[in-house]
Amino acid sequence: MSEYGALPPKPAQGPRTAAQPSSAPMKRIGILGGGQLARMLALAGHSLGLEFAFLDPAPDACAAAVARQVRGPYDDAAKLEELASWADIITYEFENVPAQAVRFLEEGRRLVYPPAEALAVSRDRLSEKTLFTELGIPTPAFAAIESLSDLEAAVKTIGLPAVLKTRTLGYDGKGQSVLRRTEDCAAAWAHIQGRSAILEAFVPFTREVSIIAVRSSTGEEAFYPLTENIHREGILRFSRPHAADPRQAEAESYARKILDQLDYVGVLALELFDTPEALVANETAPRVHNSGHWTIEGAYTSQFENHLRAILGLPLGRTDLRGSAAMVNCIGSLPKREEILAIPGAHYHDYGKEARPGRKVGHYTLSAASDDELDELIRRFVPSSI
Ligand code: AMP
């Protein structure tokens, strides 16, 4: 049962799969995951006349305020079936959806975008870095690690410092440790508890940046301005796009290679390290991304709307900046609404989540007519300790 009783199935129209497209306009979007990304997708899609339902096991999923919830685990065939029989098309808001759930939905049931292969690549850091290498995209030297002796051998070839990361299920810096001396190997291996891992050379970057790219099912592509990101304790704190970043063309060329190789449909985020020599790819996210939240007010078309346009095969909207913008994440708790709204050009986003240490509970965007005006707002209103 969903939160509001079982979702009504679609009126007789037959399945809509890649093999059997239907001519009726698609309206019902099913999302795997019901966090803030699903919530912001639904908020963007309501104005396009779209309806939303999502599958999520959490009793307090924050997308429930704006979409219908099917509550259950992601590998529950009956729940997946319920969502699939209601929806015209399925998308997801996080990459750790079990691969078999996506296969189940695709097999004669519904179109699922982005494609399952993109999900498989981005959930495994080894496949991801292998893809970067195959496409000629610079990435840190890396090696697959299955044992302490693999790690000791890899440290000799890759050198130190280096970063040991679990291949799967790592995010926001979880499941990783930095090795500075050969003697750190045993502790780092113990820290990841014998899980399959990857050792990467440590990149002495000057900036962390990301590019949000979008490709429609028609093949149309668009790229947002390169965004500079500040992380603390592995969690994104602050993002600022630059209208004419000198690395824009380079970042776009890498993102385009990935979109085309995966025959991608939807929004894709590519996170990169900037170094004096070149951009170096760190990871992809096959979904709308936290470093693209500024696009809601800062771009002509938000990443959420463009993701929906892309999966529905609609024309993509302009991705360029309207003036200047920056985004501040609210981690653990929210600042006072009235204080943020007193800042000229500020927009406040409360995800409706309970405050908890380390949890992303909201964000605010600062928008301004020019970079100088934005610099002034940041200086006055963004705490240097974010
Ligand atoms: P990740 O989970 O891969 O996004 O890593 C979390 C954060 O750790 C990144 O945002 C970087 O600040 C840092 N980091 C990850 N990999 C490397 C690397 N190879 N070299 C330097 N810093 C890294």
Side-chain angles (χ1 to χ4, degrees), residues 7 50 111 169 226 258 284 340 376:
L7 292 176
L50 304 176
L111 282 171
L169 295 174
L226 195 68
I258 299 167
T284 57
I340 299 302
E376 178 64 11

Side-chain angles (χ1 to χ4, degrees), residues 46-362:
H46 282 288
S47 64
L48 297 174
L50 304 176
E51 295 167 29
F52 293 84
F54 64 92
L55 174 64
D56 193 302
D60 58 351
C62 73
V66 290
R68 304 176 72 163
Q69 180 171 9
V70 178
R71 194 192 296 175
Y74 296 111
D75 54 0
D76 182 325
K79 301 290 178 187
L80 290 165
E81 187 72 58
E82 184 184 340
L83 187 72
S85 61
W86 176 85
D88 291 318
I89 189 164
I90 307 275
T91 188
Y92 40 86
E93 62 133 41
F94 73 121
E95 53 271 46
N96 293 322
V97 173
Q100 67 272 27
V102 176
R103 266 197 304 277
F104 177 85
L105 290 165
E106 279 184 331
E107 280 164 5
R109 288 180 182 82
R110 285 290 174 260
L111 282 171
V112 182
Y113 287 141
E117 193 193 343
L119 194 72
V121 164
S122 73
R123 72 192 320 153
D124 178 357
R125 293 181 190 276
L126 184 62
S127 328
E128 192 169 51
K129 293 224 155 53
T130 305
L131 178 73
F132 293 153
T133 307
E134 283 166 5
L135 294 176
I137 300 172
T139 195
F142 64 94
I145 306 295
E146 293 293 338
S147 64
L148 180 56
S149 58
D150 283 354
L151 180 57
E152 286 162 349
V155 159
K156 290 201 180 92
T157 52
I158 288 177
L160 290 172
V163 190
L164 183 69
K165 303 178 178 178
T166 54
R167 277 175 60 174
T168 59
L169 295 174
Y171 65 94
D172 288 347
K174 293 191 174 66
Q176 56 181 270
S177 44
V178 178
L179 287 83
R180 301 193 182 280
R181 304 166 308 150
T182 315
E183 303 82 78
D184 294 338
C185 284
W189 180 244
H191 177 67
I192 62 158
Q193 300 171 335
R195 283 176 286 170
S196 292
I198 179 172
L199 185 74
E200 294 175 15
F202 186 89
V203 180
F205 55 80
T206 50
R207 301 186 294 168
E208 291 194 73
V209 295
S210 58
I211 184 151
I212 309 289
V214 56
R215 185 169 182 275
S216 159
S217 58
T218 62
E220 185 186 358
E221 294 176 344
F223 303 87
Y224 284 92
L226 195 68
T227 299
E228 194 171 330
N229 301 314
I230 295 174
H231 296 84
R232 194 160 47 79
E233 289 147 7
I235 303 177
L236 181 67
R237 308 283 162 158
F238 178 82
S239 288
R240 180 174 182 177
H242 295 286
D245 195 287
R247 294 293 200 196
Q248 180 76 28
E250 193 179 341
E252 275 186 28
S253 77
Y254 297 153
R256 184 176 288 111
K257 285 182 185 199
I258 299 167
L259 293 179
D260 293 344
Q261 175 68 26
L262 297 173
D263 202 9
Y264 195 86
V265 178
V267 161
L268 173 113
L270 171 63
E271 293 188 71
L272 304 132
F273 300 125
D274 194 5
T275 73
E277 298 75 39
L279 289 175
V280 176
N282 180 30
E283 62 183 356
T284 57
R287 54 171 168 78
V288 288
H289 192 255
N290 196 168
S291 67
H293 290 359
W294 64 266
T295 62
I296 298 175
E297 296 91 4
Y300 281 93
T301 318
S302 78
Q303 62 165 346
F304 301 98
E305 179 170 336
N306 259 341
H307 180 76
L308 296 167
R309 292 186 188 210
I311 66 173
L312 296 172
L314 296 169
L316 298 180
R318 278 177 62 174
T319 47
D320 43 336
L321 270 157
R322 294 199 281 199
S324 301
M327 185 229 50
V328 181
N329 256 356
C330 305
I331 309 295
S333 63
L334 284 166
K336 284 205 178 77
R337 191 168 52 182
E338 56 275 25
E339 280 174 15
I340 299 302
L341 295 182
I343 305 172
H347 301 270
Y348 186 79
H349 295 259
D350 175 347
Y351 303 154
K353 290 162 72 171
E354 211 175 288
R356 201 184 294 161
R359 197 176 202 203
K360 292 175 179 171
V361 289

